[in-house]
Amino acid sequence: MEALPFSYFSHYFPNSKSLGAVTNRILSSFGLRITRIHDWADPTTYIPFAETIAKAKASGLALGDYIDVRQGIAGTTAATIQGMQRLGVFEKPVKSLLEIGPGTGRYLAKTIQLCSLDRCEVYETAVEWARYIEKNYPVILQPTDGGTLKATRSDSVDLVQAHKVLCSTPFLTTARYWAEMLRVTRPGGYAVFDVATESCLPPAVVKLWADSGMPSMSPYPAVVPYKVVLDFFEANGAKLVGTFYAPLPPGKTEVFVFQKN
Ligand SMILES: C[S@@+](CC[C@H](N)C(=O)[O-])C[C@H]1O[C@@H](n2cnc3c(N)ncnc32)[C@H](O)[C@@H]1O
């Protein structure tokens, strides 16, 4: 039976889950069926759980490496962690880590290896992936409302990170998480995240995004001007240590490393 990707349909129809079920009943008489893949219009979801785990296993790769390879960006996760290393994030022992939106855990796994953790907290909206992370890593899964780090004490975390999350969230979610990252990071600690800034979007790359085939309602790439990021963090008690780029197919995203004063 041929499977059509559900996400091609879901953003057109607000009540797409029940629509999918009805459509499948009709399609089944023709030997067709709709399956759900990543709904690119909803950034609080993530790639399908069971299918991704099964395919990673079949590939013989570690889950995080499989995701990199599948996205055509092999080695990207490691390169980002090395970029953080070069900017001094791991120079002093990182004893407390907080990650927003770890998804499969590809960044979490590599970050943990460089830390000497007493405490690791995660906030994740995709329920199956949140449970997977809780089961497979030494983390506290915090109640996640999608915009705050309410369960975390102020000035308590050595490193707060969000990779490939804020490059897809609506601006208010991003701004709320920035404020929260600044609140929970301890003085001297680091806040690391990426957004698509203007330098990620030269005309040729704008065209690549336009031609990418993603649904029009997709929030990718969530664009934030560099100066808005810099001004906000500097106005709220942090200094920019540096930035570097990471691929975000078909373009790229800018990774910011801030240190709280
Ligand atoms: C594109 S995925 C990236 C996952 C992972 N960081 C990686 O790069 O493999 C974005 C992740 O952030 C989660 N997410 C999206 N919006 C969120 C929010 N408002 N709060 C917490 N997690 C969120 C999604 O469920 C998903 O796991």
Side-chain angles (χ1 to χ4, degrees):
M1 187 175 283
E2 188 185 345
L4 303 176
F6 189 77
S7 65
Y8 287 166
F9 300 84
S10 58
H11 76 282
Y12 290 113
F13 304 106
N15 194 15
S16 53
K17 277 182 191 157
S18 51
L19 182 73
V22 173
T23 310
N24 267 335
R25 273 204 293 279
I26 298 165
L27 286 178
S28 63
S29 51
F30 301 101
L32 294 169
R33 168 175 78 85
I34 292 172
T35 59
R36 187 173 186 82
I37 60 167
H38 189 193
D39 180 354
W40 291 104
D42 179 1
T44 63
T45 63
Y46 198 34
I47 48 179
F49 177 77
E51 180 192 318
T52 305
I53 297 281
K55 286 189 172 165
K57 206 168 170 192
S59 76
L61 295 170
L63 178 58
D65 296 336
Y66 166 75
I67 304 292
D68 277 10
V69 169
R70 202 186 77 167
Q71 293 181 344
I73 52 172
T76 286
T77 302
T80 296
I81 303 297
Q82 282 157 15
M84 291 166 61
Q85 238 175 332
R86 271 197 304 279
L87 291 173
V89 170
F90 302 101
E91 242 156 48
K92 289 193 183 150
V94 173
K95 295 189 171 166
S96 44
L97 169 68
L98 185 156
E99 182 160 339
I100 302 165
T104 60
R106 65 177 162 170
Y107 289 91
L108 184 68
K110 289 193 168 22
T111 307
I112 284 175
Q113 287 172 4
L114 298 176
C115 299
S116 324
L117 289 180
D118 293 333
R119 193 177 84 251
C120 182
E121 302 177 39
V122 296
Y123 288 79
E124 170 56 67
T125 47
V127 175
E128 283 178 311
W129 287 111
R131 290 201 191 110
Y132 172 84
I133 292 290
E134 190 180 30
K135 198 167 150 203
N136 288 281
Y137 294 96
V139 300
I140 303 162
L141 174 61
Q142 297 291 25
T144 305
D145 61 19
T148 75
L149 305 173
K150 253 186 209 154
T152 304
R153 275 181 296 116
S154 299
D155 299 326
S156 69
V157 186
D158 293 333
L159 170 59
V160 181
Q161 63 178 3
H163 294 286
K164 303 279 173 78
V165 179
L166 304 185
C167 58
S168 70
T169 46
F171 184 72
L172 288 183
T173 302
T174 300
R176 285 173 185 146
Y177 270 138
W178 284 350
E180 282 289 80
M181 290 172 111
L182 282 158
R183 177 182 69 77
V184 302
T185 304
R186 69 158 178 77
Y190 293 90
V192 179
F193 60 88
D194 60 284
V195 289
T197 56
E198 60 273 39
S199 57
C200 302
L201 291 161
V205 176
V206 171
K207 185 79 169 84
L208 287 178
W209 280 108
D211 295 344
S212 68
M214 275 198 178
S216 308
M217 294 299 286
S218 169
Y220 285 93
V223 182
V224 186
Y226 177 92
K227 188 172 180 320
V228 171
V229 185
L230 187 64
D231 288 354
F232 184 79
F233 276 78
E234 285 187 349
N236 287 284
K239 67 169 186 289
L240 181 66
V241 182
T243 77
F244 56 91
Y245 296 101
L248 180 68
K252 63 183 182 177
T253 179
E254 188 161 4
V255 181
F256 286 79
V257 175
F258 285 101
Q259 187 172 30
K260 187 159 159 180
N261 301 328

